[in-house]
């Protein structure tokens, strides 16, 4: 539905042609603020793996919210990931938060452990 509201029929047809005649695939990301402070921005990455589990490609996701994300609130992000899906096949995708900027100007940064991550199988 979001695709129909934001793109012209020509844009959707170009995407369909670029995607081998299929409708584009979307990555639907939902991040919840579990802290006790408002969040100004979130930097996350989606990492795609093939059926063997080898990580192949990565997309950067940066929140572009107009208002801070309040404690307990959810941030939603939709990204077309058709190219990453075609390159890696029907494996899985892991989304992990790399850093968070709070409203007070302080940051939380991942130390490389990907402690704030979720892995999911790709559905079509």
């Amino acid at each position: 539905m979001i695709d129909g509201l934001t793109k012209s029929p020509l844009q959707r047809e170009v995407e369909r042609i670029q995607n081998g005649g299929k409708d584009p695939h979307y990555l639907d990301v939902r991040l919840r603020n579990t802290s006790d402070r408002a969040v100004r921005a979130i930097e996350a990455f989606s990492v795609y793996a093939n059926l063997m589990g080898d990580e192949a490609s990565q997309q950067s996701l940066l929140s572009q919210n107009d208002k801070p994300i309040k404690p307990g609130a959810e941030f939603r992000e939709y990204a077309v990931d058709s190219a990453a899906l075609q390159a890696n096949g029907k494996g899985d995708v892991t989304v992990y938060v790399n850093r968070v900027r709070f409203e007070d100007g302080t940051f939380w940064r991942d130390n490389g452990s990907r402690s704030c991550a979720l892995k999911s199988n790709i559905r079509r």
Side-chain angles (χ1 to χ4, degrees):
M1 182 166 152
I2 193 165
D3 186 37
L5 298 175
T6 60
K7 295 184 180 172
S8 72
L10 177 62
Q11 288 172 310
R12 287 195 303 274
E13 187 59 30
V14 168
E15 273 188 352
R16 200 173 289 116
I17 291 167
Q18 291 173 336
N19 197 32
K22 300 175 189 167
D23 287 325
H25 188 269
Y26 291 91
L27 178 64
D28 177 5
V29 177
R30 299 170 194 191
L31 303 170
R32 182 171 305 283
N33 179 1
T34 60
S35 75
D36 59 355
R37 297 182 282 168
V39 170
R40 180 182 293 177
I42 302 168
E43 178 187 63
F45 290 94
S46 56
V47 181
Y48 293 81
N50 60 26
L51 288 173
M52 293 300 292
D54 300 325
E55 291 184 356
S57 64
Q58 176 175 300
Q59 277 184 279
S60 176
L61 306 168
L62 182 62
S63 66
Q64 297 292 329
N65 44 313
D66 296 332
K67 299 177 188 173
I69 305 164
K70 296 179 181 182
E74 186 177 80
F75 171 75
R76 298 178 112 181
E77 173 83 20
Y78 299 94
V80 176
D81 67 344
S82 302
L85 187 63
Q86 282 182 340
N88 300 297
K90 197 173 177 181
D92 56 50
V93 61
T94 301
V95 174
Y96 72 93
V97 177
N98 188 51
R99 62 187 176 147
V100 174
R101 182 175 185 187
F102 294 101
E103 189 65 18
D104 64 7
T106 61
F107 285 85
W108 172 86
R109 287 184 173 86
D110 184 67
N111 61 6
S113 67
R114 295 185 184 175
S115 62
C116 185
L118 179 65
K119 182 182 282 192
S120 179
N121 291 327
I122 295 174
R123 294 185 307 233
R124 289 190 189 214

